[in-house]
PDB file of all heavy atoms in Angstrom:
ATOM      1  N   ILE A1259      76.139  80.626  73.173  1.00  0.00           N
ATOM      2  CA  ILE A1259      75.868  79.828  71.976  1.00  0.00           C
ATOM      3  C   ILE A1259      77.029  78.856  71.727  1.00  0.00           C
ATOM      4  O   ILE A1259      76.826  77.719  71.297  1.00  0.00           O
ATOM      5  CB  ILE A1259      75.641  80.758  70.755  1.00  0.00           C
ATOM      6  CG1 ILE A1259      74.440  81.682  71.018  1.00  0.00           C
ATOM      7  CG2 ILE A1259      75.435  79.949  69.476  1.00  0.00           C
ATOM      8  CD1 ILE A1259      73.127  80.977  71.310  1.00  0.00           C
ATOM      9  N   GLU A1260      78.222  79.311  72.072  1.00  0.00           N
ATOM     10  CA  GLU A1260      79.407  78.460  71.931  1.00  0.00           C
ATOM     11  C   GLU A1260      79.280  77.187  72.783  1.00  0.00           C
ATOM     12  O   GLU A1260      79.524  76.075  72.311  1.00  0.00           O
ATOM     13  CB  GLU A1260      80.599  79.282  72.416  1.00  0.00           C
ATOM     14  CG  GLU A1260      81.895  78.968  71.773  1.00  0.00           C
ATOM     15  CD  GLU A1260      82.995  79.807  72.422  1.00  0.00           C
ATOM     16  OE1 GLU A1260      82.699  80.768  73.176  1.00  0.00           O
ATOM     17  OE2 GLU A1260      84.159  79.474  72.180  1.00  0.00           O
ATOM     18  N   GLY A1284      71.787  85.615  84.142  1.00  0.00           N
ATOM     19  CA  GLY A1284      71.260  86.978  84.199  1.00  0.00           C
ATOM     20  C   GLY A1284      72.042  87.950  83.337  1.00  0.00           C
ATOM     21  O   GLY A1284      71.630  89.094  83.158  1.00  0.00           O
ATOM     22  N   LEU A1302      64.203  77.737  78.689  1.00  0.00           N
ATOM     23  CA  LEU A1302      65.259  78.453  79.417  1.00  0.00           C
ATOM     24  C   LEU A1302      65.174  78.041  80.880  1.00  0.00           C
ATOM     25  O   LEU A1302      64.113  78.137  81.494  1.00  0.00           O
ATOM     26  CB  LEU A1302      65.045  79.966  79.316  1.00  0.00           C
ATOM     27  CG  LEU A1302      66.055  80.811  80.109  1.00  0.00           C
ATOM     28  CD1 LEU A1302      67.416  80.809  79.409  1.00  0.00           C
ATOM     29  CD2 LEU A1302      65.553  82.247  80.286  1.00  0.00           C
ATOM     30  N   LEU A1304      66.081  78.557  84.786  1.00  0.00           N
ATOM     31  CA  LEU A1304      66.404  79.648  85.690  1.00  0.00           C
ATOM     32  C   LEU A1304      66.457  79.110  87.123  1.00  0.00           C
ATOM     33  O   LEU A1304      65.507  78.465  87.575  1.00  0.00           O
ATOM     34  CB  LEU A1304      65.274  80.678  85.541  1.00  0.00           C
ATOM     35  CG  LEU A1304      65.295  81.967  86.296  1.00  0.00           C
ATOM     36  CD1 LEU A1304      66.580  82.735  86.007  1.00  0.00           C
ATOM     37  CD2 LEU A1304      64.093  82.811  85.874  1.00  0.00           C
ATOM     38  N   VAL A1324      65.675  88.866  82.899  1.00  0.00           N
ATOM     39  CA  VAL A1324      65.566  87.572  82.225  1.00  0.00           C
ATOM     40  C   VAL A1324      64.145  87.362  81.699  1.00  0.00           C
ATOM     41  O   VAL A1324      63.945  87.003  80.533  1.00  0.00           O
ATOM     42  CB  VAL A1324      65.969  86.433  83.189  1.00  0.00           C
ATOM     43  CG1 VAL A1324      65.593  85.081  82.616  1.00  0.00           C
ATOM     44  CG2 VAL A1324      67.463  86.512  83.491  1.00  0.00           C
ATOM     45  N   HIS A1337      63.640  76.642  88.947  1.00  0.00           N
ATOM     46  CA  HIS A1337      63.852  76.010  90.241  1.00  0.00           C
ATOM     47  C   HIS A1337      63.531  77.114  91.238  1.00  0.00           C
ATOM     48  O   HIS A1337      64.335  78.012  91.441  1.00  0.00           O
ATOM     49  CB  HIS A1337      65.306  75.533  90.367  1.00  0.00           C
ATOM     50  CG  HIS A1337      65.617  74.918  91.699  1.00  0.00           C
ATOM     51  ND1 HIS A1337      66.525  73.894  91.849  1.00  0.00           N
ATOM     52  CD2 HIS A1337      65.133  75.165  92.941  1.00  0.00           C
ATOM     53  CE1 HIS A1337      66.594  73.541  93.132  1.00  0.00           C
ATOM     54  NE2 HIS A1337      65.762  74.314  93.810  1.00  0.00           N
ATOM     55  N   PRO A1341      58.725  81.334  98.571  1.00  0.00           N
ATOM     56  CA  PRO A1341      58.472  82.714  98.114  1.00  0.00           C
ATOM     57  C   PRO A1341      59.017  82.985  96.710  1.00  0.00           C
ATOM     58  O   PRO A1341      58.429  83.775  95.957  1.00  0.00           O
ATOM     59  CB  PRO A1341      59.206  83.584  99.141  1.00  0.00           C
ATOM     60  CG  PRO A1341      59.885  82.680 100.089  1.00  0.00           C
ATOM     61  CD  PRO A1341      59.480  81.277  99.836  1.00  0.00           C
ATOM     62  N   HIS A1388      61.237  60.851  93.200  1.00  0.00           N
ATOM     63  CA  HIS A1388      61.778  60.759  94.571  1.00  0.00           C
ATOM     64  C   HIS A1388      60.920  61.523  95.579  1.00  0.00           C
ATOM     65  O   HIS A1388      60.805  61.123  96.719  1.00  0.00           O
ATOM     66  CB  HIS A1388      63.258  61.177  94.649  1.00  0.00           C
ATOM     67  CG  HIS A1388      63.626  62.439  93.961  1.00  0.00           C
ATOM     68  ND1 HIS A1388      64.116  62.470  92.675  1.00  0.00           N
ATOM     69  CD2 HIS A1388      63.585  63.729  94.358  1.00  0.00           C
ATOM     70  CE1 HIS A1388      64.376  63.727  92.337  1.00  0.00           C
ATOM     71  NE2 HIS A1388      64.059  64.498  93.338  1.00  0.00           N
ATOM     72  N   ASP A1429      51.269  68.766  86.253  1.00  0.00           N
ATOM     73  CA  ASP A1429      51.031  68.240  84.909  1.00  0.00           C
ATOM     74  C   ASP A1429      51.804  66.969  84.600  1.00  0.00           C
ATOM     75  O   ASP A1429      51.270  66.026  84.034  1.00  0.00           O
ATOM     76  CB  ASP A1429      51.421  69.311  83.874  1.00  0.00           C
ATOM     77  CG  ASP A1429      50.656  70.600  84.093  1.00  0.00           C
ATOM     78  OD1 ASP A1429      51.061  71.403  84.970  1.00  0.00           O
ATOM     79  OD2 ASP A1429      49.637  70.787  83.427  1.00  0.00           O
ATOM     80  N   LEU A1455      66.378  58.039  85.827  1.00  0.00           N
ATOM     81  CA  LEU A1455      65.904  57.566  84.521  1.00  0.00           C
ATOM     82  C   LEU A1455      65.505  56.101  84.498  1.00  0.00           C
ATOM     83  O   LEU A1455      64.573  55.718  83.801  1.00  0.00           O
ATOM     84  CB  LEU A1455      66.984  57.824  83.458  1.00  0.00           C
ATOM     85  CG  LEU A1455      67.020  59.242  82.883  1.00  0.00           C
ATOM     86  CD1 LEU A1455      68.308  59.459  82.088  1.00  0.00           C
ATOM     87  CD2 LEU A1455      65.803  59.506  82.003  1.00  0.00           C
ATOM     88  N   MET A1462      56.172  54.550  88.744  1.00  0.00           N
ATOM     89  CA  MET A1462      54.830  55.031  88.407  1.00  0.00           C
ATOM     90  C   MET A1462      53.893  53.866  88.094  1.00  0.00           C
ATOM     91  O   MET A1462      52.707  53.911  88.418  1.00  0.00           O
ATOM     92  CB  MET A1462      54.889  56.020  87.235  1.00  0.00           C
ATOM     93  CG  MET A1462      55.609  57.329  87.543  1.00  0.00           C
ATOM     94  SD  MET A1462      55.148  58.124  89.105  1.00  0.00           S
ATOM     95  CE  MET A1462      53.421  58.506  88.799  1.00  0.00           C
ATOM     96  N   ALA A1479      51.184  61.946  81.793  1.00  0.00           N
ATOM     97  CA  ALA A1479      52.187  62.708  82.564  1.00  0.00           C
ATOM     98  C   ALA A1479      53.622  62.436  82.113  1.00  0.00           C
ATOM     99  O   ALA A1479      54.527  63.213  82.406  1.00  0.00           O
ATOM    100  CB  ALA A1479      52.052  62.385  84.062  1.00  0.00           C
ATOM    101  N   GLU A1499      57.729  48.262  74.856  1.00  0.00           N
ATOM    102  CA  GLU A1499      56.881  47.125  75.222  1.00  0.00           C
ATOM    103  C   GLU A1499      57.237  46.646  76.624  1.00  0.00           C
ATOM    104  O   GLU A1499      58.413  46.463  76.946  1.00  0.00           O
ATOM    105  CB  GLU A1499      57.054  45.982  74.217  1.00  0.00           C
ATOM    106  CG  GLU A1499      56.362  46.297  72.892  1.00  0.00           C
ATOM    107  CD  GLU A1499      56.507  45.181  71.855  1.00  0.00           C
ATOM    108  OE1 GLU A1499      57.219  44.187  72.130  1.00  0.00           O
ATOM    109  OE2 GLU A1499      55.916  45.329  70.778  1.00  0.00           O
TER     110      GLU A1499
END
Side-chain angles (χ1 to χ4, degrees):
I1259 300 302
E1260 210 183 347
L1302 177 74
L1304 182 56
V1324 168
H1337 178 147
H1388 47 265
D1429 303 82
L1455 278 167
M1462 294 313 296
E1499 286 180 356

